[in-house]
Amino acid sequence: AVTTYTSSISSQPRGIAFDSSGNLYAITWGTGILYRVAPGGGSVTTIASGFVSAQGVAVDSSGNVYVCDVNGNVFKNPVGAGAKIPFVTGLGILYNMVVKGGDLYVTNYSGVKKITNLAGTPILSDYATGAASASGLAFDSSGNLFISTEGGNLYKVAANATIPAAATLINSGLNSEALTIDASDNLYLSTFGSTIRKLAPSGTGTATSIATGLNLTFGLAVDASGNVYVSDNGGNSIVKVTATIVATNQ
């Protein structure tokens, strides 16, 4: 089932991410506002504003929120500060971000950059290359990185790969803006269209549609129960897709 999680988001929500307390953060493209949605789709609070062409959002284990934009900037919003602090610049066209192991990973349209030392002066390095038009990214429980692209390709960087690594093409024809992975390692992809699709943990095979009738889907997040949350960019809302049967295509 597809239900509205919150409609109190103004002007084209893009990236979304949960913190460890179940708050959902959303950044908007049109108004450049970072919102926090209380657990269960409760009250919506403005955390920071003034972003321009913002796309992705991520939250670290301390509750600091990061926002990236298509102008190559990453901003840090320290927990409780309500501030928009420049963190890293000059990275090219940025799309989505994820935090793993205390480090920040971001797609920059040609691959994935890694940003370490989040508590101090950030250190930037290449993590994955060769994924043209990289947009979405997510790690599975084994530490493998999956990268989706606007060109419809899906790439993988194995957990034991020598970094920086050339990403390996494992699927195509998917046309994805964002990507997330649930606790069972199933992959979910948004299309910037009307559907959300699901792939088995291998990332190969045919994707199954789990939600239709949406309006310019973009950001994705998943909770511990396997429910998928989608920023419905055209509908100015966040929708919830109730957990479905695990995909069996391998």
Side-chain angles (χ1 to χ4, degrees):
V2 178
T3 57
T4 299
Y5 191 65
T6 180
S7 57
S8 300
I9 302 291
S10 69
S11 192
Q12 302 169 298
R14 293 293 177 99
I16 56 176
F18 281 106
D19 68 12
S20 58
S21 298
N23 298 295
L24 181 70
Y25 291 84
I27 186 69
T28 62
W29 174 270
T31 54
I33 297 174
L34 175 64
Y35 292 98
R36 181 180 63 228
V37 184
S43 61
V44 177
T45 304
T46 297
I47 301 301
S49 60
F51 299 95
V52 178
S53 302
Q55 293 267 60
V57 63
V59 188
D60 67 21
S61 60
S62 298
N64 301 299
V65 184
Y66 303 85
V67 174
C68 67
D69 63 32
V70 298
N71 302 307
N73 304 304
V74 175
F75 296 92
K76 182 177 181 178
N77 302 269
V79 58
K84 178 175 76 75
I85 300 173
F87 195 55
V88 181
T89 61
L91 297 185
I93 300 174
L94 304 181
Y95 265 73
N96 285 291
M97 300 187 295
V98 65
V99 172
K100 180 182 182 298
D103 300 319
L104 183 65
Y105 299 80
V106 55
T107 49
N108 79 331
Y109 218 58
S110 60
V112 175
K113 298 287 188 180
K114 179 180 180 180
I115 303 171
T116 59
N117 196 34
L118 300 185
T121 302
I123 300 171
L124 179 68
S125 62
D126 288 322
Y127 190 83
T129 61
S133 303
S135 53
L137 75 168
F139 286 91
D140 67 12
S141 61
S142 298
N144 302 301
L145 174 66
F146 293 83
I147 308 166
S148 62
T149 76
E150 285 194 319
N153 295 322
L154 182 66
Y155 293 86
K156 180 180 179 180
V157 176
N160 61 356
T162 300
I163 304 300
T168 300
L169 178 66
I170 61 171
N171 211 330
S172 60
L174 298 171
N175 184 29
S176 174
E177 292 287 343
L179 169 68
T180 194
I181 296 178
D182 67 17
S184 299
D185 288 336
N186 298 294
L187 284 71
Y188 300 87
L189 303 101
S190 64
T191 60
F192 208 57
S194 61
T195 62
I196 301 298
R197 291 183 286 186
K198 181 178 183 178
L199 281 168
S202 64
T204 60
T206 302
T208 302
S209 176
I210 64 165
T212 60
L214 303 174
N215 189 355
L216 301 180
T217 60
F218 193 87
L220 289 172
V222 64
D223 66 19
S225 299
N227 301 303
V228 179
Y229 300 79
V230 186
S231 60
D232 195 11
N233 182 75
N236 294 326
S237 63
I238 308 297
V239 301
K240 177 181 177 180
V241 183
T242 304
T244 57
I245 298 173
V246 174
T248 57
N249 53 300
Q250 299 289 341

